[in-house]
Amino acid sequence: MHALVYTDTQKLVYREEKNPKLVNNESIIKVSASGICGSDMHAYHGKDDRRVPPLILGHEISGTIEKGKEIGKKIVLNPLITCGSCNYCNNGREHLCQKRIILGMNKPIERQGGFAEYVSIPDQNIYELPKGLKIEEAPIAEPTAVAYHAVELGEKSISEKMENTKVLVIGGGAIGLLSGLILSKIKNCKNIVIVETNNKRLNECAKYLDAEAVNPDSKKIIENHFDIVFDTVGLEVTRKQAIKSIKPGGIIIHIGLTQPSGSFDFRKATLQEITFIGTYCYTNKDFEKTLEILTNKKIGSLDWIEYRKLQDGSLAFKEIHDGSCAAPKIILLT
Amino acid sequence: MHALVYTDTQKLVYREEKNPKLVNNESIIKVSASGICGSDMHAYHGKDDRRVPPLILGHEISGTIEKGKEIGKKIVLNPLITCGSCNYCNNGREHLCQKRIILGMNKPIERQGGFAEYVSIPDQNIYELPKGLKIEEAPIAEPTAVAYHAVELGEKSISEKMENTKVLVIGGGAIGLLSGLILSKIKNCKNIVIVETNNKRLNECAKYLDAEAVNPDSKKIIENHFDIVFDTVGLEVTRKQAIKSIKPGGIIIHIGLTQPSGSFDFRKATLQEITFIGTYCYTNKDFEKTLEILTNKKIGSLDWIEYRKLQDGSLAFKEIHDGSCAAPKIILLT
């Protein structure tokens, strides 16, 4: 098959690779579309020790079952593969399963990703394509589930109603925009500020999201002001902005992980009783809920997604890398 | 009046000071007993910019009303003075009031503390001495409320029943021991490890608390193991131990604040969905609940408290400083 292979730092090659093999309780998917995630970019920059070249990246995937139990069915994948039998899996927190793996990773266990003609996946990770969702848009289900899970964690922890909260979303990538859309259109938040350094992206977010769209030096980012801050970037500088702008008793939801360690203002966190919640992926229930959200078009138009051909994937990565692409999400079509 | 005055780094002088003056809606308390808190030690070490010498420290206070509306009444103080009219005060989160002050601080507003013969306090901060609690023990209400609030925050955030959780308590000072006692005797936790560097203190904790009492290098502090970790110390090294030993999906409650900033493992916090909660003081409701706990002797014997005369207070601070004192709490008697 053809695949876009990550061969070295900032290097992707569209080339011939071996087809995946069918095994018990799995299916082979003919990939229709596969989205580029921030974590794929992190790998591309040589900074992800779970994704070591050579590797086929990509875990936001839609397609058609080519081999397996339900040949011909149009589907979208939950790329998070879990053991199904541990305490976490048995208690609705599958995403914390210590045997979990995601498509498009090879450490500690290899599972090739979706930037290819075919990909293999356990049957339990296959969901029918939601009605009304185009197959090329469907990979957006995965980052939407990430954002949905993060918003739910925030809502669970906050003492007031979400619709009354003042929210700061840091980052105008897919997770930032999707978190904002869920907050605005599903949780009815009326008081959202979204902050992004790249003005092309910022303007794109502003077209779809009912929020103040600002740069990081904006006066709209008031100190000690926000009830809840979503840091979808995870840089030292964004974490500093998060802790500075959160109000006493507030919640920081940390979704991005660009810099994996750094300093933190434990003084404010303690004296002002700040809750900092790390969030990763989504539960199976979150993923199902997300498909329902997309089926019912609850987050509105998805026209902010841009599409490229898989064979042009290397250029798409480059566009995201150098900030020349306005779209918060690029999906590669096979 | 006589008072123990903090005059310089690691220097306390027992000397004559002006008596506090009675103002509207306040009382003057003849102090019976006043406990030495970790934050007093922090000031003593010259590291607290809210407590600048010369200053009378001390905010864990019991005594008798000398001047005011209910002269002669035996009382215990809630030393956290709040505005009573802001959003936090109106919603049961008085401890986050941005005008809050605590006795024994002078920045930004001066309010002399309890290491003296007399102290002034707003009437709304006065509680009747709980029945069955000796007046010299009563200052323990304040740190007990701190520990109770922290345990409640943990319980609110955790997804399983507290009694089934594996708990690590870092620090065998008053807050560590009190958190452990509340967890063990009120929340029925059966699986508690308490860790402390000072063996004298550790042995003292072990006498009263049903827990594994260990040093920081113990094999009982298993990596990725504990559902909830209470860091009552707040050093870089204890925060490292907290994040290392917390299990995926677990909660870190950060009560101590010895080092106000430092690094954090945002990678584990994010990928393993750790919740980090800073906690400070207590609500009025927590304080009242604490008095009920003490009235009903729910945390057992308080014989782990040691007592010194106020005029010997300087020596007591020195004993705590050099680790020669086994007791998790020293209370000064006026």
Side-chain angles (χ1 to χ4, degrees), chain A residues 19-20 22 26-29 64-71:
Chain A
N19 277 17
L22 186 65
E26 295 206 356
S27 294
I28 303 289
I29 308 303
T64 309
I65 299 178
E66 175 86 8
K67 292 182 188 172
K69 294 193 186 74
E70 300 183 87
I71 293 170

Side-chain angles (χ1 to χ4, degrees), chain A residues 82-109:
Chain A
T82 56
C83 80
S85 60
C86 70
N87 237 327
Y88 292 111
C89 286
N90 286 333
N91 288 289
R93 302 181 91 187
E94 309 85 1
H95 62 306
L96 299 179
C97 169
Q98 292 305 289
K99 291 185 179 164
R100 72 185 182 201
I101 42 174
I102 287 200
L103 292 190
M105 276 194 192
N106 51 4
K107 299 286 166 182
I109 291 165

